[in-house]
Amino acid sequence: MAIREILEVPDPRLKVVSEPVSEDEFNDELKTLVEDMYETMYDAPGIGLAAIQVGVPKRVLVIDLQPEDPDAEPEDCCSDSGCGEKRPVLKKEPRTFINPVIVDPAEELSTYQEGCLSVPEIYADVDRPATCTVKYQDLDGNHHEETLEGLMATCIQHEMDHLEGILFIDHLSRLKRQMALKKLKKIRQAA
Ligand code: GNR
Ligand code: NI
């Protein structure tokens, strides 16, 4: 397992349309890619990652919304220095989607403030279908169909946009997108 470098705007590879994973590509190399994507996503940290964000133009997504575990005792915030703060334990719910296709997006929209590991530190509201049914394959190549809602529906649509070379800022007005990119430039200059 390895943490891979996450591509950031304006890397041209983020605009590439990703290729389907073919039947003979469901192998150990794919498993390693997915493992590395989880490690990279958890390290970032983020709730989703598309393969193209680590430079691999394949139709592979990982998502983990990592909800707070209401049954677990809160953990010490700092394991070493001991700042005394407690933080909730996050549940791991890893979800892998290979060759995902959205079949029937709802007409009803919902708005979430989105962010993207490839557009760091920029957040903006995006409207998307509130629910959608997605067909996909798992790591063994088995086919599934599932209806998603809430943040999960938003997240998979955000990730599927990456497979088409689309970023969440592409859903904003030109003015808002330019403002976002200017802000990112400023943040980078300050760093
Ligand atoms: O970590 C992420 N958070 C997020 C928040 C709202 C809507 C979508 C996302 S996905 C993002 C990680 C990422 O860039 N995935 O491509
Ligand atoms: Ni993203």
Side-chain angles (χ1 to χ4, degrees):
M1 293 251 284
I3 293 169
R4 302 200 190 185
E5 190 194 336
I6 297 177
L7 307 183
E8 295 183 1
V9 280
D11 193 305
R13 288 172 287 179
L14 290 168
K15 298 207 167 167
V16 165
V17 177
S18 294
E19 295 287 336
V21 175
S22 62
E23 287 308 316
D24 63 337
E25 287 175 320
F26 285 83
N27 53 25
D28 283 353
E29 191 183 332
L30 182 66
K31 286 204 175 82
T32 301
L33 170 65
V34 167
E35 280 176 13
D36 287 359
M37 285 172 64
Y38 278 114
E39 200 175 350
T40 304
M41 179 184 75
Y42 290 132
D43 176 70
I47 59 171
L49 195 72
I52 192 60
Q53 291 180 278
V54 294
V56 179
K58 287 282 165 191
R59 302 186 82 84
V60 176
L61 311 176
V62 298
I63 295 179
D64 192 334
L65 302 183
Q66 293 166 267
E68 290 180 5
D69 188 343
D71 301 326
E73 261 322 291
E75 285 179 329
D76 291 325
C77 172
C78 312
S79 50
D80 42 359
S81 66
C83 72
E85 297 288 318
K86 295 281 183 181
R87 59 171 154 77
V89 175
L90 301 183
K91 271 195 287 193
K92 281 225 163 111
E93 289 181 353
R95 300 293 318 269
T96 306
F97 298 91
I98 297 167
N99 298 330
V101 179
I102 288 179
V103 286
D104 63 344
E107 272 180 45
E108 183 200 342
L109 301 180
S110 66
T111 309
Y112 272 92
Q113 189 178 60
E114 299 196 14
C116 181
L117 296 173
S118 297
V119 194
E121 296 183 70
I122 302 296
Y123 302 90
D125 282 351
V126 179
D127 300 329
R128 300 182 188 271
T131 65
C132 59
T133 298
V134 57
K135 289 185 179 182
Y136 63 95
Q137 284 170 277
D138 62 27
L139 260 180
D140 299 317
N142 298 318
H143 291 261
H144 301 272
E145 182 172 332
E146 202 175 323
T147 300
L148 304 174
E149 55 179 38
L151 182 57
M152 193 64 185
T154 293
C155 191
I156 197 153
Q157 292 174 74
H158 171 117
E159 302 312 335
M160 289 189 61
D161 270 354
H162 279 297
L163 305 184
E164 302 303 324
I166 296 168
L167 300 171
F168 82 99
I169 52 171
D170 296 326
H171 290 283
L172 307 179
S173 68
R174 199 139 78 112
L175 180 66
K176 282 194 179 160
R177 180 167 54 254
Q178 281 167 349
M179 276 167 41
L181 290 171
K182 232 180 221 171
K183 188 171 164 193
L184 178 55
K185 224 173 178 178
K186 224 174 181 176
I187 291 168
R188 282 176 173 154
Q189 277 166 356

